[in-house]
Amino acid sequence: MKHAEQESSEMTFFEHLDALRPHLVRGALAIVIVGIAAFLCKHLIIDTVLFGPKNADFPTNRMLSWIGAEWAHLAAWLNATFGSAFDTDVAAFQIASDRFQVINTSLAGQFNLHMKISLMAGIALAMPYVLWEFWRFVRPALTPREIAGTRWFVASVSLCFFAGLLFGYFIMAPLSINFFANYQVSPEITNMIDIGDYLSTVILVSMACAFLFELPLLIYFLTRMGLVSAAFLKRYRRHAFVVLLIISAIITPPDIFSLILVVAPLYGLYELSIRLAARIERRRLREETAGTA
């Protein structure tokens, strides 16, 4: 291993590029293969998956319908019992599937959109293999201790990525679609949404949540490198909450229900990051104590 580290340290920049090239080729090939498979499965990817958040039988939309019905019953009971003026309007919980029509306005729009969706599906689904190729490239330069510490790198990053992707797809995308489709400035305006705008909303919201869910891993590696500490994260906890609140307000519809649904798990990830940082510091202290002894 020592010889391998010495040999790696003597490699030039172009030799590193030569070593990286096969990993890049295999990663790109995996993306292309998965993208071709997604291209051939257009009914599943587009009709079932991407158009799912606008359909009334989507799980999140069924939940919204149930919440709206329960709220209407509760508001009616409160009004009848206490003579209050609780709002029984459930427009915010109405499913938007019949509130807008998806159209295409470009001659090659559907084909270009099909290619774009296939590429995005290839990148998302091939992510674990691409990360594994990256880890294989940097592994020869790592010490045995560093290899042991990054053994679960691919699985951890992939798990956080897909957890965020599913959160964005099942929570954020339907909320955004229902809010903007139900929002109306005048009954004279008919919503005819361009297919590119609709699918871009679903994809971008889902991918944004996927990368936001990598926060605990980012804190983990920053703590291992000594750049942040648990005390630092605790001291700026309120500042972090404000930042997460701003991010949530940007990527969510402007209603308090959607904001709470997003900021709660993001802040939970921040608290998890604090605990991870504290755990790493305790482990490092034990190792230093054992080394001194």
Side-chain angles (χ1 to χ4, degrees):
M1 184 67 188
K2 186 176 181 180
H3 175 71
E5 291 177 0
Q6 183 178 1
E7 182 181 356
S8 175
S9 63
E10 295 175 355
M11 291 176 63
T12 65
F13 174 75
F14 293 102
E15 288 174 338
H16 279 94
L17 287 181
D18 289 335
L20 178 61
R21 185 180 297 112
H23 299 282
L24 292 178
V25 170
R26 286 192 291 267
L29 187 61
I31 293 175
V32 170
I33 292 174
V34 177
I36 292 174
F39 186 87
L40 298 176
C41 300
K42 65 178 182 178
H43 175 71
L44 173 65
I45 298 295
I46 299 177
D47 295 340
T48 303
V49 176
L50 294 178
F51 279 150
K54 70 180 284 292
N55 295 329
D57 58 349
F58 194 70
T60 308
N61 292 335
R62 292 203 303 267
M63 179 191 71
L64 289 175
S65 298
W66 179 81
I67 293 175
E70 292 299 319
W71 167 250
H73 294 156
L74 177 61
W77 179 80
L78 291 174
N79 291 335
T81 304
F82 301 102
S84 303
F86 287 94
D87 187 10
T88 59
D89 184 19
V90 294
F93 303 101
Q94 292 178 357
I95 307 306
S97 58
D98 59 342
R99 302 294 297 272
F100 69 94
Q101 182 180 2
V102 179
I103 62 172
N104 173 52
T105 59
S106 175
L107 179 62
Q110 295 198 40
F111 177 78
N112 293 334
L113 196 64
H114 192 186
M115 295 291 293
K116 176 182 176 181
I117 291 171
S118 301
L119 176 61
M120 296 297 295
I123 293 174
L125 298 178
M127 181 67 70
Y129 181 79
V130 174
L131 291 172
W132 184 66
E133 285 290 345
F134 172 76
W135 186 79
R136 286 182 60 195
F137 170 70
V138 301
R139 181 178 179 179
L142 302 177
T143 63
R145 179 181 175 183
E146 290 171 338
I147 292 176
T150 59
R151 184 172 300 167
W152 299 101
F153 167 75
V154 175
S156 301
V157 174
S158 300
L159 179 62
C160 292
F161 179 84
F162 286 113
L165 192 68
L166 292 176
F167 177 81
Y169 174 72
F170 281 102
I171 302 299
M172 287 306 308
L175 290 176
S176 300
I177 292 169
N178 283 317
F179 176 83
F180 289 116
N182 286 324
Y183 189 85
Q184 194 175 48
V185 295
S186 172
E188 300 296 325
I189 302 175
T190 302
N191 286 332
M192 301 181 68
I193 311 300
D194 183 74
I195 182 63
D197 290 340
Y198 169 81
L199 294 181
S200 294
T201 299
V202 176
I203 294 173
L204 291 178
V205 165
S206 301
M207 294 296 287
C209 292
F211 288 107
L212 284 175
F213 270 59
E214 300 289 347
L215 177 64
L217 289 177
L218 176 62
I219 298 298
Y220 173 82
F221 287 109
L222 291 177
T223 305
R224 286 186 65 94
M225 290 186 291
L227 298 178
V228 298
S229 63
F232 174 83
L233 295 175
K234 291 178 181 178
R235 184 165 63 250
Y236 290 99
R237 179 184 274 134
R238 288 178 295 180
H239 302 78
F241 179 77
V242 173
V243 172
L244 293 176
L245 196 64
I246 294 173
I247 294 175
S248 302
I250 292 174
I251 66 175
T252 58
D255 65 273
I256 190 64
F257 178 70
S258 303
L259 186 64
I260 294 174
L261 277 180
V262 175
V263 75
L266 289 182
Y267 185 73
L269 291 175
Y270 185 82
E271 291 293 333
L272 176 62
S273 302
I274 295 177
R275 283 159 177 75
L276 284 175
R279 182 178 179 182
I280 294 170
E281 291 173 350
R282 288 194 299 267
R283 182 188 303 173
R284 183 185 299 162
L285 181 61
R286 287 196 301 266
E287 292 175 352
E288 292 176 354
T289 304
T292 304

